[in-house]
Amino acid sequence: MNESSSTTPAPPLRTRSAPDHGLEVITSGRDWERVLDVVAAGSGPIALDVERASGFRYSQRAYLVQIYRRGGTNFLVDPLEVSDLSGFTTRFGDEEWVLHAARQDLASLREVGMSPRKLFDTELGARLAGLSRVGLQGSVEDLLGVQLAKEHSAADWSTRPLPEGWLNYAALDVEVLPDLRDAIARTLHEAGKADYAREEFDAILCEAPPATRAEPWRRLSGLHQVRGARGLAIARELWWAREEFAKAQDVAPGRLIPDRSIVHAAIERPSSQSALTGLKNFHGRASRSEAPRWWAAIQRGMTTEELPSLRGSQDTLPPPRAWADKAPEAHRRYVLARDLIQRAGQRITIPAENILTPDYLRRICYSPHDPHHPSTIDGQLERLGARRWQRELVLPLLVEAFSQAATLDELAATD
């Protein structure tokens, strides 16, 4: 039998540019109460999605909340008009909510009063299931045979009124979630990973908000190009000036002046406001109109006595690429453990970063551990936040890696 006759061609994708179950935009409290009644009359899990204006606005607030449950229509709620959606939590908080990449949306939902107590995350579920594509479009194509129009994924959702095409896009994103959830749940069950997924989903709900960074300006893209504490002080003051103005204007900071403009100014250290505006690589929509603001920040950076350290917080580990020279024992533990976890991930078709968070792996390898006391290693894993299924899977791998590393350390010491 030749290859062409033995291979069954994949069915053609069904392209969808509008939802099958219609949509309704909700802009009043009376209509919102009706939404709750329609959702209550539906069946199965409740799918939700959020559209923000990332890249356009400073805040991460929701500018559209999409809700769909089988038996109803797609409701697109405008939180600029209906700001308190806590009634949804009151009535449906104990139902299963389905979101894709829930960590991106939960803070925005909670800000308008919507907070689930039971979750199914289709993006994370797809990762644990071992799917080759875990984005919404890819997983819907692979599991449901549906191709979604994605041309509005980077739109400014603070726009009013929202164009019809955008509304169709938003409704489609939520309407496919119940079927996608069921397909992923079946795959997880068949692979014996349903319990893994439940632990992961529960962990998302229990996560505390990220801690405020002590020096958030150090996340400037390209900051490594800036030399000296004085240059870092200039970058810091420019970052804070941009941050305060962006927050006041509710504009994404990078739309005022991009990171590379801040870095360029910190490197060049212009001697006057006119010299600043004359810099070829200092640009952005507010680079000239707010020039006095930026020049004042540069002056603060040039004169302050509170110079930043050349290195960031001491809680930050050095990058693993530097360990071979600075911490060779930790480097051996890290390389061996990373290899064992990657091989385990290939065996059970779960990405290594989902088996153990990379930061957890770096931290536990950087600190010396006695492989003869696995309970100590397990205790640190638990304190870091590793789930039970992860600890059960990686603990023997870490013990093995640390044992091998200890042997290599002894050999190195005798050379």
Side-chain angles (χ1 to χ4, degrees):
M1 183 178 293
N2 60 41
E3 184 177 347
S4 61
S5 62
S6 62
T7 302
T8 303
L13 291 173
R14 175 193 171 202
T15 301
R16 291 175 60 183
S17 57
D20 288 344
H21 300 287
L23 64 87
E24 184 178 349
V25 180
I26 304 301
T27 58
S28 73
R30 178 178 297 179
D31 287 341
W32 172 240
E33 292 300 322
R34 181 169 51 80
V35 169
L36 299 180
D37 292 337
V38 172
V39 172
S43 62
I46 304 170
L48 294 104
D49 193 20
V50 173
E51 303 297 347
R52 295 178 297 277
S54 302
F56 296 93
R57 298 289 182 177
Y58 180 87
S59 72
Q60 290 299 304
R61 67 168 300 173
Y63 283 96
L64 195 69
V65 177
Q66 304 102 283
I67 303 169
Y68 174 72
R69 194 180 198 184
R70 292 181 180 122
T73 190
N74 294 281
F75 293 110
L76 310 183
V77 185
D78 185 348
L80 301 184
E81 302 293 339
V82 189
S83 59
D84 181 7
L85 306 183
S86 58
F88 193 90
T89 302
T90 302
R91 294 186 66 172
F92 308 112
D94 291 325
E95 302 282 352
E96 182 182 86
W97 297 16
V98 183
L99 291 93
H100 191 83
R103 285 186 174 93
Q104 297 180 15
D105 292 341
L106 281 176
S108 300
L109 286 172
R110 286 167 174 157
E111 190 175 3
V112 295
M114 302 177 75
S115 184
R117 291 185 284 273
K118 187 176 182 182
L119 174 70
F120 192 104
D121 185 331
T122 50
E123 191 268 347
L124 182 52
R127 288 181 177 276
L128 297 174
L131 299 188
S132 58
R133 297 196 290 175
V134 301
L136 182 61
Q137 186 172 23
S139 55
V140 166
E141 288 183 6
D142 294 342
L143 293 180
L144 305 183
V146 172
Q147 186 174 55
L148 302 177
K150 299 297 289 183
E151 63 268 22
H152 304 302
S153 58
D156 178 3
W157 290 92
S158 66
T159 301
R160 292 296 184 274
L162 289 168
E164 181 181 357
W166 296 17
L167 296 174
N168 283 328
Y169 159 87
L172 265 175
D173 267 9
V174 74
E175 187 179 84
V176 298
L177 287 182
D179 289 344
L180 180 62
R181 176 255 180 236
D182 289 351
I184 291 173
R186 285 193 298 270
T187 305
L188 289 168
H189 178 74
E190 291 167 359
K193 300 175 182 176
D195 289 342
Y196 297 178
R198 179 49 51 203
E199 282 192 56
E200 290 299 300
F201 301 159
D202 290 345
I204 291 175
L205 295 176
C206 295
E207 284 178 355
T212 302
R213 290 178 175 269
E215 298 179 301
W217 58 273
R218 288 190 184 270
R219 300 189 70 185
L220 274 167
S221 177
L223 186 65
H224 64 280
Q225 301 172 53
V226 178
R227 295 290 179 261
R230 185 62 64 186
L232 291 176
I234 294 170
R236 177 189 65 194
E237 296 303 321
L238 278 169
W239 187 92
W240 278 115
R242 184 184 67 172
E243 193 75 1
E244 291 170 1
F245 187 53
K247 185 175 182 179
Q249 299 295 313
D250 193 16
V251 175
R255 295 180 73 82
L256 299 173
I257 51 173
D259 284 6
R260 59 182 175 272
S261 289
I262 292 179
V263 169
H264 185 64
I267 293 172
E268 294 296 326
R269 303 187 194 183
S271 58
S272 66
Q273 181 176 310
S274 60
L276 170 65
T277 56
L279 291 177
K280 180 180 179 180
N281 292 323
F282 189 80
H283 50 79
R285 76 187 215 183
S287 60
R288 302 299 183 269
S289 62
E290 294 295 324
R293 182 185 305 275
W294 314 132
W295 172 240
I298 290 175
Q299 288 181 303
R300 290 194 297 273
M302 287 179 170
T303 58
T304 182
E305 296 182 0
E306 297 180 4
L307 294 175
S309 64
L310 296 180
R311 295 182 60 182
S313 168
Q314 295 304 306
D315 187 50
T316 302
L317 297 178
R321 63 178 178 272
W323 293 8
D325 294 328
K326 297 182 178 180
E329 296 87 356
H331 183 257
R332 276 190 281 271
R333 290 191 292 270
Y334 177 71
V335 170
L336 290 166
R338 182 187 60 186
D339 181 63
L340 289 174
I341 291 173
Q342 286 176 342
R343 279 190 274 167
Q346 293 169 358
R347 186 175 65 253
I348 64 176
T349 62
I350 295 179
E353 62 268 23
N354 291 108
I355 293 178
L356 187 63
T357 303
D359 182 61
Y360 297 174
L361 176 61
R362 289 190 291 267
R363 289 184 179 279
I364 203 162
C365 290
Y366 199 74
S367 302
H369 286 282
D370 185 349
H372 296 97
H373 295 87
S375 61
T376 304
I377 302 173
D378 186 58
Q380 186 178 3
L381 285 171
E382 185 175 14
R383 288 191 296 275
L384 286 169
R387 268 67 74 191
R388 179 180 56 81
W389 75 269
Q390 293 175 315
R391 288 165 24 224
E392 290 177 352
L393 181 61
V394 303
L395 182 58
L397 304 179
L398 293 174
V399 169
E400 180 181 349
F402 294 169
S403 295
Q404 293 179 16
T407 301
L408 293 172
D409 291 343
E410 292 173 1
L411 292 174
T414 59
D415 288 344

